[in-house]
Structure formats: structure tokens, C-alpha cells
Amino acid sequence: MTSTISLNKVNAVLKKNFRLNIASLIVTNVIAVLFAIFICASIIGIPENSSYYSYTSDITNEFSSLAVVLVNAVGVISLLFLSLKMFREIYSRRASDFFYSMPVTRKEYYTGNVLFGIINILFLFVSVIAVSLIFGKLPVAFDVEHNILDVKDFLIYMLVAAAELFLTFAVFIVSAVLCGKRWQVIAVSALSSISLSGVMMGVGLQMNEIYGYNVDNIGSAVDIFLAILNRGEYVSTAVSTVFRFAAAAGLLAVGYFVFKNRKAEVAEQSLSGKIMPALLLFVIDVGVFMTAFSAFYKPLYFKII
């Protein structure tokens, strides 16, 4: 397999993914749309004891928060299984031998799979946003006259959620090309995310105790990390969103490096390479320690140099 890339072959990989995953793509978006309509029905309305003429409610925060939960829940599950399915050839020795003999470079294969995952994310958000705005702003089914949904703020919520889901997808891709078995992909994805959050929580706790920062340790690893860098001060939504997209792009680059150097013998075996497994084990070990430390130990005063 050569290192050059052909747009025609990337397109062929995309077409193959569409052909094999179109049913799951449709089902995922139908489920998301139905839940979005349910959110509209549960939030948009007038309480029984309120006056129809005088009642007004700003539902932007509540509505947007539930929409974020929706896209994250549906997106995480669908993207995890999609990542496993797109790279299914590399988890079997027989299938991987056949795959590596195909006239498609690893770069083309990897690029086509990543692009298809991004297309899935875009479809999901377009579906949820379209349905939410139709039923949340237009008087087609619910009382939108007395329930205010700020479109700008809602779209900001969705943009941040898209960046978070894109980063999660990047984690799944790296795990998919790193592991030799499917169950390892699920385990590595979960353990790495949880452990990294534990590391950030522990560091944030110590920054608060030692330097008097005001880091909120309840949140994603990215939010805690940015808060630590900014000494506990407010981090703008724009910075947080850009950082998530940049981190996702960096992880996808790492994923390509891992996939490019992956040996065929990894199939049905352990993790690929030496550096990434060692790094992963280090993060998990430190994460377990930091999580336990944050939960059970009294503040430990030590100087970080």
C-alpha cells in the first residue's frame, strides 16, 4: 500500500460506508428527531394555574440543555458503534490480511472513515436543530407565543455540543485503530475519558488549595483543563469551542499516525505499538489515583514546581 492519496478512492470509501451504514444513519436521526419533538412537547406550554394572556416564559436554557443531552446521548452511542463498524476489517486476522492487500492506502481508508463520521455528526445536528426551531419558534403544534426561545443562544449551545461530540468521536477513532479487539475499543474509550477527567479534577483541586484558584471541578476534562490554565477565571465559550475542535483535530492526527504504523499482527491481540499503550496506562493509573484522591483524601499541601 502506497502513501499517496486519491480523492476517487476516498470517495469510494465514503460510498461503501453510506451503503453499509445508511440504515443506522436513518434510525439514529429518526430517534433524535422524535426525542427533540418530545422535548418541545414537555417544555413548551402554559402551566395549568397560569393565565393564558399574562404568562411568558424564557425556555432557552432549559430547552437548550435538554437538546445538548439529547445529541450527546444519541451521538455518543451511534458514533461508538459506527467507529467499530468502519474499522471492522482490522479486528480479524483473516480480514486484515485481505484489507492490507487492497489497492487502497491507509490514508485513503482512514480519511474516508473520518469524513463519514463527521457527516454523521452534521446530519444529527441539522436534524435536531431544524426540528427544534420548527416546533420551538413556529406555531405549528405548540404555544410558542408565550414561550421564548432565543435562537442565537440555542445555536451557541448546539455549537459547543458539536465541538464536544467531535472530540468524543476523535477519541473513538484513536481507540478503534489502536486496539486489536472490539471490546478493547469500548474499554479504552471509557477508561481514557474517565481517567483524564480524574486527572483534571485532582490537579484542579490542588490548584484551588495551593494557589487559591477557583476552578470548578464539576464538568468535562476540557473545561477543567482550560479553567486551570486560566487560573480559575472565566473561559469564554468561543475559546472553549475552538479548543475542543483543535484537540479533536490533534487526536485525529494521532489516530492516523497509529493506524499508519499498525501491524497486521495486532488483530485479535493487544494494543498497537509501544508508546500509545504505555501513555494510556499512565493516564489510567494517574486518573485512578487522582479520582480517589479527590474523593477521599483531605487537601494535601505540596508545592508544584
Side-chain angles (χ1 to χ4, degrees):
M1 302 176 72
T2 63
S3 60
T4 59
I5 186 167
S6 167
L7 294 180
N8 289 332
K9 291 181 179 180
V10 171
N11 187 47
V13 175
L14 275 173
K15 288 181 178 179
K16 183 200 73 170
N17 280 323
F18 268 108
R19 185 177 68 254
L20 296 177
N21 299 288
I22 187 64
S24 60
L25 176 61
I26 293 174
V27 170
T28 297
N29 282 271
V30 168
I31 293 174
V33 165
L34 292 177
F35 273 104
I37 295 175
F38 174 77
I39 291 174
C40 293
S42 62
I43 293 180
I44 302 175
I46 300 177
E48 295 181 359
N49 297 328
S50 301
S51 170
Y52 176 84
Y53 298 100
S54 63
Y55 179 81
T56 301
S57 176
D58 188 338
I59 62 171
T60 302
N61 289 337
E62 182 181 6
F63 186 92
S64 301
S65 298
L66 288 177
V68 168
V69 172
L70 165 64
V71 294
N72 279 330
V74 175
V76 166
I77 295 173
S78 64
L79 289 174
L80 175 58
F81 285 100
L82 177 64
S83 300
L84 287 168
K85 192 172 183 180
M86 290 192 299
F87 290 96
R88 65 192 180 281
E89 292 93 347
I90 66 176
Y91 303 124
S92 167
R93 291 182 181 178
R94 179 177 299 179
S96 63
D97 289 338
F98 174 75
F99 163 72
Y100 291 130
S101 66
M102 293 174 60
V104 179
T105 66
R106 298 194 188 195
K107 184 183 294 185
E108 292 159 350
Y109 184 79
Y110 184 83
T111 302
N113 286 343
V114 169
L115 288 177
F116 185 71
I118 294 174
I119 290 172
N120 275 255
I121 295 174
L122 292 176
F123 268 110
L124 175 62
F125 276 88
V126 168
S127 299
V128 172
I129 290 174
V131 170
S132 298
L133 293 182
I134 289 173
F135 288 97
K137 294 297 293 183
L138 302 178
V140 294
F142 307 108
D143 188 350
V144 297
E145 180 182 354
H146 298 86
N147 294 267
I148 302 171
L149 176 63
D150 188 286
V151 176
K152 180 181 177 181
D153 288 347
F154 172 69
L155 292 178
I156 290 175
Y157 270 93
M158 290 294 99
L159 180 61
V160 175
E164 187 71 36
L165 192 58
F166 184 41
L167 180 55
T168 302
F169 171 63
V171 172
F172 291 159
I173 289 294
V174 174
S175 300
V177 299
L178 177 67
C179 300
K181 298 179 181 180
R182 289 181 176 86
W183 70 264
Q184 293 174 348
V185 176
I186 300 175
V188 167
S189 297
L191 287 175
S192 59
S193 300
I194 295 173
S195 299
L196 192 57
S197 296
V199 171
M200 292 298 102
M201 287 174 58
V203 174
L205 175 65
Q206 289 307 306
M207 294 299 101
N208 291 343
E209 293 296 337
I210 298 172
Y211 298 109
Y213 292 175
N214 189 28
V215 175
D216 185 359
N217 287 309
I218 300 176
S220 68
V222 172
D223 291 329
I224 299 175
F225 175 72
L226 291 176
I228 293 172
L229 289 182
N230 206 35
R231 301 183 178 183
E233 300 297 327
Y234 171 76
V235 177
S236 70
T237 302
V239 171
S240 175
T241 303
V242 170
F243 181 86
R244 281 176 165 85
F245 279 119
L251 278 177
L252 290 176
V254 171
Y256 171 69
F257 174 79
V258 173
F259 186 54
K260 179 182 178 182
N261 294 278
R262 180 187 174 100
K263 304 296 184 182
E265 297 78 21
V266 172
E268 301 180 13
Q269 296 297 320
S270 58
L271 306 186
S272 175
K274 297 180 179 179
I275 297 177
M276 287 298 292
L279 180 61
L280 177 64
L281 182 61
F282 173 77
V283 171
I284 292 175
D285 288 343
V286 175
V288 170
F289 170 77
M290 285 293 194
T291 301
F293 175 80
S294 302
F296 303 112
Y297 201 74
K298 294 294 183 181
L300 176 65
Y301 296 93
F302 62 89
K303 184 71 175 178
I304 298 181
I305 301 177

